[in-house]
Amino acid sequence: MKPQSIHNQIEEKIKSLKKGSILFIADFIEFGTAENVKKVLLRLEKKEVLIRLAHGIYLYPKNDKILGPLFPSTEEIAVAIAKRDKARIISTGVQALQQLGLSTQVPMNVVYLTDGAPRKIKVGKRTITFKKTTPKNLTIKDKKLNIVIQGLKELGKDNVDENAKQKIKKVLHQMSIESIKEDSVAAPTWIRNTILELINKD
């Protein structure tokens, strides 16, 4: 039996995946060199099997009858990149506020702190920036607590109003008080004090 071509092997693997998957050249390196894989992925893009999101990043699209292809959020793309690079990331700025329900603004430029390589990735009109940070900022294991800390940093000490406190409190109530007390040691003093004040209030 004639061995399958690289193209067929890659196409078969893609079609066995869940629609909506974010794919990278490294996902198919078992089938050939990076250059050959890249050529196949570009051909599959032309065949409309894949959508190219950014340089070296593809989407196996899930299609909605009315909306057409459903695109992933910047968060999903950033998480997929971090997973590929075996790096940790933390949302910052407006993105953190949005995740806390404190902003309805969908940021076009999002910044993540990472222990991976610093880089900027353009996805259509959006930009994802990975900014190298100190290990201290990544010692907090709970993703929600990280978002609370980054959200408070974005608001600033003098702008934490009652609405912000209530929304942050709701998020903190999803975690154990022990882990908050232990992990928030790495946060700036005013942020740690704000967090402790909120978990100690009934």
Side-chain angles (χ1 to χ4, degrees):
M1 205 168 83
K2 192 180 158 192
Q4 275 190 312
S5 69
I6 291 179
H7 184 109
N8 289 344
Q9 289 178 77
I10 289 175
E11 190 164 3
E12 260 184 30
K13 181 173 175 178
I14 289 168
K15 288 184 172 170
S16 73
L17 298 170
K18 196 174 147 199
K19 292 212 166 193
S21 296
I22 295 164
L23 310 170
F24 303 94
I25 290 164
D27 295 331
F28 306 99
I29 220 69
E30 68 206 83
F31 303 122
T33 64
E35 202 46 51
N36 287 338
V37 171
K38 194 175 169 183
K39 283 176 187 166
V40 172
L41 296 180
L42 287 169
R43 283 203 295 270
L44 289 170
E45 184 200 354
K46 280 185 183 137
K47 273 179 74 178
E48 296 184 356
V49 172
L50 296 176
I51 291 173
R52 185 173 174 270
L53 293 172
H55 180 69
I57 307 172
Y58 294 84
L59 173 71
Y60 179 38
K62 187 177 186 178
N63 285 294
D64 181 90
K65 283 176 188 168
I66 298 161
L67 302 170
L70 301 174
F71 286 87
S73 66
T74 37
E75 171 82 355
E76 287 166 320
I77 297 168
V79 166
I81 294 168
K83 194 176 170 188
R84 178 199 64 181
D85 296 346
K86 297 181 172 58
R88 291 173 294 173
I89 59 170
I90 303 172
S91 301
T92 67
V94 179
Q95 175 97 335
L97 292 182
Q98 193 198 24
Q99 289 168 333
L100 291 169
L102 290 169
S103 173
T104 52
Q105 193 186 331
V106 178
M108 296 307 282
N109 303 308
V110 294
V111 178
Y112 290 90
L113 299 180
T114 184
D115 56 355
R119 68 183 73 181
K120 223 172 228 189
I121 293 161
K122 196 109 175 86
V123 183
K125 291 177 181 172
R126 299 174 287 175
T127 305
I128 302 172
T129 302
F130 294 101
K131 200 172 161 187
K132 191 86 174 165
T133 189
T134 58
K136 185 189 171 190
N137 283 327
L138 293 152
T139 52
I140 296 158
K141 296 176 209 80
D142 197 299
K143 189 186 169 191
K144 289 191 186 88
L145 186 59
N146 268 320
I147 292 166
V148 166
I149 291 167
Q150 293 302 322
L152 285 166
K153 270 187 191 172
E154 180 65 13
L155 284 172
K157 191 176 181 178
D158 301 324
N159 299 309
V160 185
D161 60 16
E162 205 44 51
N163 172 50
K165 284 181 180 177
Q166 288 313 312
K167 291 205 165 150
I168 290 167
K169 197 172 170 181
K170 206 184 265 185
V171 175
L172 292 170
H173 277 170
Q174 295 166 29
M175 298 169 241
S176 79
I177 288 176
E178 289 72 27
S179 70
I180 293 171
K181 283 180 177 173
E182 196 181 309
D183 277 352
S184 62
V185 171
T189 309
W190 77 265
I191 290 179
R192 176 170 160 79
N193 290 343
T194 304
I195 288 169
L196 294 178
E197 182 196 318
L198 290 172
I199 58 170
N200 290 327
K201 272 186 183 175
D202 289 325

